[in-house]
Amino acid sequence: SQSALRRRPSLILACRKNLHHSSAMEILTRYQLRMADPQKDAAVIARLKVACWREAYEGILPAALLDELSVERATRSWEQALGKGVAWIAEYAGTPVGFTHVTGGEVTTLYVRKSDQGCGLGCELLQRSFEEIACLAYEEARVWVLEENTAARHFYERMGGQRVARRAVGFSRWPDIMEVRYDFHLPD
């Protein structure tokens, strides 16, 4: 519907204010964003998530955990997740470089390859997530992020997120790894 495509003014302003190298139009010209196909894109997202985890979490998560990541296991997980939510994939010249996933009022995942960070792509993916959440009639959105991931935490804070909670991630072998939740008000 048209309301699903309606832009949220406060987030757009935050995005434009925080773009370092590019305008919103350049993002849309350089990258192609598409809704993930639940029947075809589980493996695409799994490969991208494993790559992004290894880039983003080196030095944050234990090396053993990162070494144990499996595209095959992640594919099975994403086959289920895509049936329960909506995902957007960002591509550059046909190569997936970022994605986001939403279930209910939560942005469950948002990753961008390091080589594509800093140009506003994360902001555009977050915007798509918020539009999906608003389309489901939620007035607020939430996202959990690793407490030690300061780059992601600063990103969500710049985008207007308010830190509201903290909990253990739930890794049985690493019970001290924590995550924090950011809430976002979605204006009409």
Side-chain angles (χ1 to χ4, degrees):
S1 77
Q2 289 292 66
S3 64
L5 300 176
R6 185 177 67 210
R7 297 288 175 180
R8 303 268 178 222
S10 62
L11 185 63
I12 290 293
L13 292 175
C15 288
R16 287 185 183 148
K17 180 178 172 184
N18 288 296
L19 291 181
H20 301 290
H21 307 292
S22 182
S23 71
M25 183 56 77
E26 287 174 307
I27 294 165
L28 297 175
T29 302
R30 181 175 178 191
Y31 297 98
Q32 185 173 51
L33 275 68
R34 65 177 178 83
M35 190 176 284
D37 181 336
Q39 305 301 317
K40 298 178 183 176
D41 286 322
V44 170
I45 291 174
R47 281 190 299 276
L48 189 54
K49 184 175 181 183
V50 167
C52 287
W53 268 51
R54 288 182 175 149
E55 287 178 351
Y57 297 146
E58 183 179 10
I60 295 175
L61 291 178
L65 189 152
L66 296 175
D67 291 343
E68 292 171 1
L69 294 174
S70 159
V71 172
E72 292 78 22
R73 276 194 316 271
T75 298
R76 288 190 298 274
S77 175
W78 279 104
E79 286 169 349
Q80 293 178 352
L82 290 175
K84 299 176 186 171
V86 176
W88 284 86
I89 298 172
E91 296 176 333
Y92 176 72
T95 300
V97 296
F99 75 102
T100 187
H101 179 260
V102 170
T103 300
E106 182 173 357
V107 179
T108 63
T109 312
L110 192 159
Y111 290 105
V112 174
R113 295 295 306 257
K114 276 195 176 187
S115 60
D116 295 279
Q117 292 177 5
C119 64
L121 183 57
C123 185
E124 186 63 28
L125 287 167
L126 187 62
Q127 174 67 34
R128 297 288 172 105
S129 296
F130 288 164
E131 289 171 358
E132 294 295 338
I133 291 169
C135 191
L136 296 171
Y138 288 90
E139 294 179 4
E140 291 188 343
R142 66 186 177 279
V143 62
W144 288 92
V145 60
L146 288 176
E147 187 172 45
E148 302 263 335
N149 189 349
T150 55
R153 290 184 56 201
H154 290 148
F155 169 74
Y156 291 120
E157 289 166 3
R158 283 192 316 270
M159 295 302 108
Q162 299 295 310
R163 180 181 163 171
V164 297
R166 180 179 187 256
R167 69 180 182 193
V169 172
F171 296 128
S172 58
R173 288 173 40 197
W174 300 282
D176 295 334
I177 298 174
M178 304 300 285
E179 62 185 350
V180 293
R181 189 178 96 195
Y182 286 89
D183 285 357
F184 298 82
H185 175 71
L186 302 178
D188 293 330

